[in-house]
Amino acid sequence: MARWEPNARERLVRAAVELFAEQGYEATTVNEIAERAGGLTKTTFFRYFADKREVLFAGSALLQEILVRTVVHAPPSTSAIDAVAGAFEAAAAVFDERRDRVLRRQTVIAANPELQERELIKLATLAGAMATALRERGVGELAARLAAETGAAAFHIAFARWVAEPGESDLRALIGESFSELKALVAGEWTSPVS
Amino acid sequence: MARWEPNARERLVRAAVELFAEQGYEATTVNEIAERAGGLTKTTFFRYFADKREVLFAGSALLQEILVRTVVHAPPSTSAIDAVAGAFEAAAAVFDERRDRVLRRQTVIAANPELQERELIKLATLAGAMATALRERGVGELAARLAAETGAAAFHIAFARWVAEPGESDLRALIGESFSELKALVAGEWTSPVS
């Protein structure tokens, strides 16, 4: 009989990220993850995750919820691109609260091309959800996709900078900087080497 | 002894895309691809490609070369984002010339999540190469990455529209439209449902 294990999902994520960072993603088994999570079983693991890869992407549902909610609730006067920027800024707190784990997770992903591919798919899925939320605000089809996907690219660059300089940088500020620079850029402010 | 086979690479790509479209990517073997390519062997196949997946991404080296060359040779007065837009417009001809095969290839990719992930990685690699080319023009680090990655997102949207409406649309024109809309968007032209 399955026992109810308090906080099992959270414990499994924490254990998996630790083990992947310590001994490598490929070398880690589901059994080891369950054991490290305070003596859980493989059966409990598979109640929460389809496979060990999915543990690394467990946070994306929460992230998507924050992004979509922020876009939906942005004031009507907010432009599409500003709604997307605001959504990523709102989500920054999720990363800041889990800073150590996020950085450890990124190290694991950086070492494994299959995981990098998965990460890009997840980001594309988040962009798709934001595009849908923008269309529901009345933004046109093309504009909604562009705002969501270029916004996701701007976020991704800020996130990479935050990961690269963990001690000194604030993710929310870096996201703001990415979007400001994007505006300057599209307005044509980067022209020639001597400009 | 290996015979020299004229145009083997091109024949293998054509045969692979045909077979993947006819009978599915998973169901197709390297032997079948080599056979369909006019009686080539598995050995010949592996002289050109690491595995059957790579056949689908054989065009990305040419694409990268065109993108980088166009960015490098853009007039000095061209802004970073316009250099990226111009590069994708220059590359549009490659797709137009191979329209049927590109569309068949997209059908294969759309049916297979692993291939979709690979496609996103290839696009990210192309963006990385363009960012390097922009930095060599004197564009700052952050601006170069933003122009390349948001530009790649704008291209990707145009490409998806072209694939969805093959009979009616011109890829080069759709790319131009994507970048124009991006400029309007970042300038704040999509504000509220009633604007």
Side-chain angles (χ1 to χ4, degrees), chain A residues 103 106 157-169 174, chain B residues 145:
Chain A
L103 296 179
Q106 287 312 116
I157 290 168
F159 183 73
R161 294 176 73 203
W162 181 73
V163 168
E165 297 176 38
E168 301 162 44
S169 53
L174 290 173
Chain B
R145 293 189 64 180

Side-chain angles (χ1 to χ4, degrees), chain A residues 15-26 28-29 33 52-53 55-56 108 115:
Chain A
V17 173
E18 277 177 18
L19 284 166
F20 293 161
E22 283 168 24
Q23 63 189 37
Y25 170 76
E26 293 296 349
T28 301
T29 66
I33 297 168
K52 69 176 180 178
R53 190 174 72 162
V55 190
L56 285 170
V108 174
L115 297 176

Side-chain angles (χ1 to χ4, degrees), chain B residues 8-87:
Chain B
R9 186 187 169 86
E10 170 68 20
R11 283 155 59 192
L12 287 164
V13 173
R14 187 187 305 267
V17 173
E18 277 177 20
L19 284 166
F20 293 161
E22 283 169 24
Q23 63 190 34
Y25 169 76
E26 292 296 348
T28 301
T29 66
V30 165
N31 271 331
E32 287 173 307
I33 296 168
E35 182 52 40
R36 170 75 67 102
L40 300 183
T41 63
K42 207 166 159 172
T43 309
T44 303
F45 179 93
F46 287 117
R47 202 171 302 138
Y48 293 95
F49 306 103
D51 53 41
K52 70 177 180 179
R53 191 175 71 161
E54 282 314 300
V55 190
L56 286 170
F57 300 96
S60 73
L62 171 64
L63 192 54
Q64 179 165 325
E65 190 203 310
I66 295 170
L67 294 173
V68 168
R69 198 195 323 131
T70 312
V71 167
V72 167
H73 291 117
S77 62
T78 308
S79 74
I81 196 82
D82 287 342
V84 171

Side-chain angles (χ1 to χ4, degrees), chain B residues 128 130-141 144-145:
Chain B
M130 281 193 294
T132 302
L134 286 168
R135 278 196 297 271
E136 283 165 9
R137 287 172 66 87
V139 176
E141 171 70 30
R145 293 189 64 180

Side-chain angles (χ1 to χ4, degrees), chain A residues 100-179:
Chain A
D100 289 347
R101 194 201 297 168
V102 172
L103 296 179
R104 221 179 289 134
R105 175 183 175 280
Q106 287 312 116
T107 309
V108 174
I109 289 178
N112 188 312
E114 182 205 330
L115 297 176
Q116 288 166 37
E117 296 184 1
R118 187 74 189 156
E119 178 94 323
L120 288 177
I121 280 277
K122 288 282 178 177
L123 190 63
T125 305
L126 293 176
M130 279 193 294
T132 302
L134 287 169
R135 277 195 298 272
E136 283 165 9
R137 287 172 67 85
V139 177
E141 170 71 29
L142 177 57
R145 292 189 64 180
L146 278 165
E149 295 192 21
T150 62
F155 161 76
H156 197 225
I157 290 168
F159 183 73
R161 294 176 73 203
W162 181 73
V163 168
E165 297 176 38
E168 301 162 44
S169 53
D170 172 67
L171 181 56
R172 194 187 175 93
L174 290 173
I175 294 170
E177 210 181 302
S178 235
F179 279 88

Side-chain angles (χ1 to χ4, degrees), chain A residues 13-93:
Chain A
V13 172
R14 188 186 304 267
V17 173
E18 277 177 18
L19 284 166
F20 293 161
E22 283 168 24
Q23 63 189 37
Y25 170 76
E26 293 296 349
T28 301
T29 66
V30 165
N31 270 331
E32 288 173 307
I33 297 168
E35 182 52 39
R36 170 75 66 102
L40 300 182
T41 63
K42 206 166 160 172
T43 309
T44 304
F45 179 94
F46 288 116
R47 203 173 301 138
Y48 293 95
F49 305 103
D51 53 42
K52 69 176 180 178
R53 190 174 72 162
E54 281 313 300
V55 190
L56 285 170
F57 300 96
S60 74
L62 171 63
L63 192 54
Q64 178 164 329
E65 191 204 310
I66 295 170
L67 294 173
V68 167
R69 199 195 323 130
T70 312
V71 167
V72 166
H73 292 117
S77 62
T78 308
S79 74
I81 196 80
D82 287 343
V84 171
F88 280 117
E89 285 170 352

